Amino acid sequence: MASYRKRKNLWQAQVRLRAGGSVSKSFHNRKDAVTWATAQEALMQSGKWKRQDHSDLRLGDLMSKYMCEVTPKKRGRGPEERRLRRLLREKHLMETLLDRVDPPLMAQYRDRRLKDGVRACQYDLVLIRHAWNIARLEWGWDLERNPVEQIKLPRSNPPRERRLRAGEYDLLRIRAMKTRVWYLWLVIEIAIETGMRRSEILSLEWINIDFERARVLLPITKNGRARWVPLSAKAMEVLGKVPRTTGPVFPVSEVAVRQAWERLRKRSGLFDLNFHDLRHEAISRMFEKGLNVPEVASISGHITASQLFRYVQVKSLSF
C-alpha cells in the first residue's frame, strides 16, 4: 500500500513490498507521486515488479532507449530521431553514468550547445528532460530529481520579422527555374499562397484536394488538429502544373526539399532567408488582403492570437 508525505517542497511516495521493506521516490508534485506509486503497486500485484538497479547505465543508454521506444510513436519522429542521433554523438555527456548526471553537468552542456543556436540547445535539453521523466514515471527507473528541471533553460530568440523584400520573389523564381529540381518553385509558390509549413506541403495527397471548392484538407498538423486550407487562384494554377499520380502531390522527401532550398538560397545570395519565412510572408499577406484574426487563424492553424501575431509583419493594409 502506498503512502505519501511532503518533505522540503517534494512529495515522497513510499510503497511497501510484500516480502518486507519498501521502495520510495520523491517528486515535485503529488500527482506524479501517485502515478508512480500506482504503477509500482500494479507491477507488484501482477508479479512483474522487481527492484531495478541502473547504477551502471549511462545517459546514452537512456536516450537510446527513448529513441527506440518513445520517438517512433510521435508525429515528428523523423526530425526528432535526427536530433537524438546527433545528441548521442556527444561523447562526454552521453558516457556519463546516470547517477552522476547533475545540474552543473547539464548547465555546462547548455552553455556549450548555445554556440550552435538557442533552438538547437532547447531541443536537446527538452529531449533529455522528457526522457528522464519517462524513465522515472513510466519505466520505474530509480533516478534522482530531473537535472534539466533544476537549471535555467535558454530564452527563445525574439520572433523573426523576415519577409520577402522588393525583387526577391522574382530573384528566387529566376534562380529556381534554372535548376533541375522540377518541384522546387512549385513548393515555394504553394507556401507563399497558402501559408502551409514545408512538412504540410509535402504531406499533401491528391485525394484530399477539393478542386470544386478550391481547398485542401490537412488531416495531420503540428497542433494535432485537422484543418481545411483554402486555395487561391494562383495556388490552383500551381497544382495544375504538378504531374498527377496517386498518393502524394510532391513525392519527394523533406531532406531533398531542404537541400534544394539551401542551394537556391545560396545561389540567390539570400543567406538570411529561411523557408519558414515564407509562412510569415503568406500570413502577413492574408491580413493585408483584409482577412480578420479568426479567418487567418483557421487557415494557418494557430490556436491562439499570440501565436499567430508572431508571424505577422504587415506592410500596408488594403481596407
Side-chain angles (χ1 to χ4, degrees):
M1 184 174 180
S3 60
Y4 309 93
R5 62 177 177 173
K6 196 170 185 179
R7 300 179 61 187
K8 297 181 180 180
N9 297 322
L10 292 176
W11 280 96
Q12 185 186 67
Q14 185 180 63
V15 182
R16 295 192 177 280
L17 309 180
R18 293 176 179 175
S22 65
V23 60
S24 62
K25 203 172 188 66
S26 297
F27 301 86
H28 289 298
N29 56 68
R30 194 176 192 279
K31 182 180 178 181
D32 288 343
V34 172
T35 300
W36 175 82
T38 301
Q40 301 308 304
E41 290 178 322
L43 289 172
M44 292 174 187
Q45 292 173 3
S46 65
K48 297 179 180 179
W49 189 91
K50 60 180 180 179
R51 191 179 296 277
Q52 299 187 34
D53 180 13
H54 298 96
S55 60
D56 61 337
L57 293 185
R58 304 175 187 276
L59 184 57
D61 298 318
L62 168 60
M63 302 313 298
S64 294
K65 180 177 174 65
Y66 182 89
M67 182 174 67
C68 293
E69 297 186 12
V70 179
T71 299
K73 301 175 183 177
K74 298 183 180 182
R75 287 196 304 274
R77 56 185 177 274
E80 180 167 295
E81 184 176 333
R82 288 194 293 273
R83 295 188 188 104
L84 284 166
R85 291 191 182 283
R86 195 220 64 80
L87 181 59
L88 288 169
R89 292 196 293 271
E90 294 280 350
K91 295 295 185 180
H92 175 70
L93 181 65
M94 293 295 110
E95 292 181 358
T96 304
L97 291 171
L98 287 173
D99 60 1
R100 295 186 181 180
V101 177
D102 56 14
L105 177 69
M106 296 312 305
Q108 292 172 11
Y109 176 71
R110 174 201 61 200
D111 296 341
R112 186 172 72 253
R113 184 67 166 128
L114 272 172
K115 298 177 182 178
D116 300 320
V118 173
R119 292 296 289 169
C121 180
Q122 288 176 332
Y123 279 130
D124 283 1
L125 293 176
V126 168
L127 282 171
I128 295 173
R129 181 179 64 188
H130 191 230
W132 196 279
N133 286 336
I134 288 291
R136 290 183 68 199
L137 299 176
E138 298 187 13
W139 298 343
W141 288 23
D142 187 17
L143 300 177
E144 297 297 325
R145 182 180 174 186
N146 196 317
V148 181
E149 293 178 350
Q150 300 176 67
I151 67 172
K152 186 176 181 180
L153 294 183
R155 298 182 62 178
S156 298
N157 291 324
R160 286 178 62 84
E161 298 182 354
R162 183 67 161 92
R163 288 188 59 180
L164 292 177
R165 304 186 183 107
E168 290 184 343
Y169 176 87
D170 290 330
L171 176 60
L172 287 171
R173 178 177 55 81
I174 293 172
R175 293 288 189 273
M177 298 301 287
K178 291 182 179 180
T179 71
R180 296 181 180 180
V181 185
W182 66 269
Y183 55 81
L184 181 57
W185 182 243
L186 302 178
V187 168
I188 291 173
E189 286 199 294
I190 290 294
I192 295 175
E193 289 297 316
T194 65
M196 288 191 285
R197 302 175 178 87
R198 178 173 54 198
S199 59
E200 292 173 342
I201 295 173
L202 297 182
S203 71
L204 292 178
E205 300 271 348
W206 288 111
I207 194 173
N208 290 328
I209 300 178
D210 185 347
F211 286 99
E212 292 185 4
R213 298 183 181 181
R215 62 178 187 171
V216 60
L217 174 65
L218 297 176
I220 300 177
T221 64
K222 184 178 180 180
N223 63 22
R225 300 178 181 179
R227 76 176 190 273
W228 285 97
V229 177
L231 299 172
S232 64
K234 183 65 175 293
M236 293 286 285
E237 179 184 339
V238 172
L239 289 175
K241 299 177 182 177
V242 181
R244 291 289 296 270
T245 58
T246 58
V249 175
F250 298 102
V252 294
S253 69
E254 190 167 345
V255 173
V257 175
R258 184 170 65 250
Q259 292 175 344
W261 167 262
E262 287 301 315
R263 292 193 296 269
L264 173 64
R265 186 171 69 161
K266 292 178 181 178
R267 284 196 298 268
S268 304
L270 304 178
F271 298 100
D272 65 333
L273 182 67
N274 298 332
F275 189 91
H276 200 66
D277 292 332
L278 302 181
R279 183 163 160 84
H280 289 247
E281 179 69 23
I283 292 174
S284 297
R285 287 187 182 191
M286 293 176 194
F287 280 107
E288 290 171 352
K289 292 178 180 178
L291 275 66
N292 59 37
V293 171
E295 290 172 332
V296 176
S298 67
I299 297 172
S300 67
H302 289 102
I303 298 176
T304 66
S306 61
Q307 292 175 337
L308 175 61
F309 290 155
R310 291 173 62 91
Y311 286 79
V312 181
Q313 294 84 37
V314 177
K315 295 177 181 177
S316 62
L317 299 178
S318 59
F319 58 90

